[in-house]
Amino acid sequence: MYAERMGKLPPYLFARIDELKAKKIREGVDVIDLGVGDPDLATPPHVVEELCRAARDPANHHYPSYTGMPEFRQAVARWYRDRFGVGLDPSTEVLALMGSKDGIAHVPEAFVDPGNCVLVPSPGYPVYQTSTLFAEGRVYEMPLRAENGFVPVFEDIPGDVANDARILFLNYPNNPTAAVAPHGFFETAVEFAREHDIVIVHDNAYSEISYDGYRAPSFLGTEGAMDVAIEMHSLSKTFNMTGWRIGMAVGNREILAGLGRVKTNVDSGVFDAVQRAAIAALSGPQDCVVQACRTYQERRDTLVEGLRALGFQVEPPKATFYVWMAVDDCMAFATRMLDEAGVVVTPGIGFGSGGNGYVRFALTRSTDRIREALERMEGLGL
Ligand SMILES: *Cc1c(COP(=O)(O)O)cnc(C)c1O
């Protein structure tokens, strides 16, 4: 019944964990879910208020513009200038998205012909792979190794792959490894993309979630980046707005125009009331973001300290709300955690072969629940 390309999609390993989790809950187990990359914190009240107000205004009830309302694009440009020191022309260098996943899922359609290579980090956010497969491109997995600071080594990419590659996906601060971009790495990426005529798509979903004074840069702040790159960004993780479906693609105008042309044919833009709420988030007080980082930092410290006390070697991340930890067998670890402790963690292999041998903890549950998860892990002999 299904098209051939459906068979090419990687097996959805998380489905097995989901099933096991549902079974545990049915059995009455109080499951602690440290698997989900979805903040448990609420959207700031002033943003919710603005949505309510805007939803009542009939002016917002029509088809939105494809590229996003001018006021939203101006708010994004102002936010990029103030936050990253990156100047953007709101009319050509900003595009509204239904979340960054929308941009990531559609960008290969504009640049990848059947059989072309796409360079995808492994482990990585799974949509880089699946969007490549939908465009009938070839996925080239770039391993992210601890000894390289979880960045790809461009010299290791075979010449024919590099020459045939159309898109390079990057994501720092990184999901799932929680790594941040080392000094000079973005410059190396721009040079590599220039040399091989590759479009860089940088995913900056976690730029605002950081600790210990670290501030993540925009890829577009890199010299020459505006010539070769776009950046996907989103309000999801910054303002606890995962369910609202709003984000933005920014950067090189020709690349954005290609993505925009695809999207014109598949969706009809973001609800204007949601764009109004997003303007309130980007332009309003940012103390809610500072507070969210404090909350995650306390959870991070509790988890990392607790894991170390249990004998694990683990580093506190500088950014993202994940902790990435090496284990012997990630599927066995995740299965035993759920079976014997009622705690969900994500096996690294679910993010690609490069994630094998790791598990990901999400800091999207309270410190008390994290403490309880650690207590349940005691004595398991994991
Ligand atoms: C959460 C996430 C996204 C998608 O977020 P949207 O809600 O679609 O904006 C994109 N990339 C990474 C790495 C993520 O973790």
Side-chain angles (χ1 to χ4, degrees), residues 80 86-88 93 168 170 185-194 198-202 217-231 250-256:
Y80 255 77
V86 168
L88 297 168
E93 293 172 338
L168 163 64
L170 294 173
F185 172 70
F186 285 169
E187 284 78 1
T188 311
V190 167
E191 210 174 291
F192 175 75
R194 273 213 169 119
I198 299 172
V199 166
I200 294 181
V201 177
H202 182 251
S218 163
F219 190 89
L220 299 176
T222 314
E223 185 159 351
M226 280 301 261
D227 298 334
V228 295
I230 59 171
E231 184 158 86
V250 297
N252 180 276
R253 65 187 67 191
E254 270 178 274
I255 302 174
L256 280 187

Side-chain angles (χ1 to χ4, degrees), residues 99-101 104 125 128 171 175 203 205-206 234 236-237 245:
S100 49
K101 185 177 186 178
I104 295 162
Y125 182 61
Y128 310 140
N171 162 223
N175 176 14
D203 179 353
Y206 293 95
S234 151
S236 288
K237 313 293 161 62
R245 311 316 303 139

Side-chain angles (χ1 to χ4, degrees), residues 236-253:
S236 288
K237 313 293 161 62
T238 309
F239 299 103
N240 311 317
M241 290 173 71
T242 51
W244 297 55
R245 311 316 303 139
I246 181 146
M248 57 276 200
V250 297
N252 180 276
R253 65 187 67 191

Side-chain angles (χ1 to χ4, degrees), residues 296-308 366-368 370-371 374:
Y296 293 131
Q297 180 159 346
E298 186 192 320
R299 296 171 179 183
R300 174 198 73 164
D301 293 344
T302 301
L303 180 66
V304 168
E305 252 172 60
L307 288 171
R308 283 177 170 173
S366 70
T367 304
D368 282 349
I370 289 171
R371 254 193 221 111
L374 288 162

Side-chain angles (χ1 to χ4, degrees), residues 64-301:
S65 92
Y66 288 113
T67 50
M69 43 202 315
E71 296 92 328
F72 171 71
R73 287 181 282 144
Q74 283 154 13
V76 168
R78 270 197 310 274
W79 187 75
Y80 255 77
R81 184 198 61 203
D82 296 347
R83 169 62 181 87
F84 299 116
V86 168
L88 297 168
D89 175 351
S91 59
T92 55
E93 293 172 338
V94 180
L95 178 69
L97 300 175
M98 298 172 155
S100 49
K101 185 177 186 178
D102 167 26
I104 295 162
H106 288 118
V107 73
E109 299 285 354
F111 300 98
V112 177
D113 282 313
N116 284 156
C117 286
V118 174
L119 307 174
V120 169
S122 178
Y125 182 61
V127 187
Y128 310 140
Q129 278 215 23
T130 48
S131 63
T132 300
L133 294 173
F134 278 130
E136 310 198 356
R138 270 194 301 151
V139 172
Y140 181 85
E141 285 188 88
M142 305 178 292
L144 307 186
R145 297 199 178 91
E147 64 264 33
N148 301 322
F150 297 110
V151 296
V153 178
F154 297 122
E155 297 96 86
D156 290 351
I157 298 170
D160 57 325
V161 171
N163 287 332
D164 181 57
R166 306 304 308 274
I167 295 177
L168 163 64
F169 280 109
L170 294 173
N171 162 223
Y172 294 94
N174 183 259
N175 176 14
T177 68
V180 301
H183 210 70
F185 172 70
F186 285 169
E187 284 78 1
T188 311
V190 167
E191 210 174 291
F192 175 75
R194 273 213 169 119
E195 191 182 336
H196 298 283
D197 200 12
I198 299 172
V199 166
I200 294 181
V201 177
H202 182 251
D203 179 353
N204 211 356
Y206 293 95
S207 71
E208 302 315 291
I209 312 298
S210 64
Y211 316 108
D212 308 327
Y214 178 76
R215 293 284 274 164
S218 163
F219 190 89
L220 299 176
T222 314
E223 185 159 351
M226 280 301 261
D227 298 334
V228 295
I230 59 171
E231 184 158 86
M232 302 293 179
H233 215 305
S234 151
L235 284 80
S236 288
K237 313 293 161 62
T238 309
F239 299 103
N240 311 317
M241 290 173 71
T242 51
W244 297 55
R245 311 316 303 139
I246 181 146
M248 57 276 200
V250 297
N252 180 276
R253 65 187 67 191
E254 270 178 274
I255 302 174
L256 280 187
L259 171 61
R261 207 163 151 210
V262 173
K263 277 174 51 60
T264 311
N265 289 285
V266 293
D267 68 58
S268 299
V270 179
F271 182 25
D272 280 345
V274 170
Q275 294 190 57
R276 292 275 177 209
I279 295 168
L282 291 170
S283 311
Q286 301 294 297
D287 49 319
C288 49
V289 185
V290 175
Q291 188 50 49
C293 290
R294 271 198 209 119
T295 302
Y296 293 131
Q297 180 159 346
E298 186 192 320
R299 296 171 179 183
R300 174 198 73 164
D301 293 344

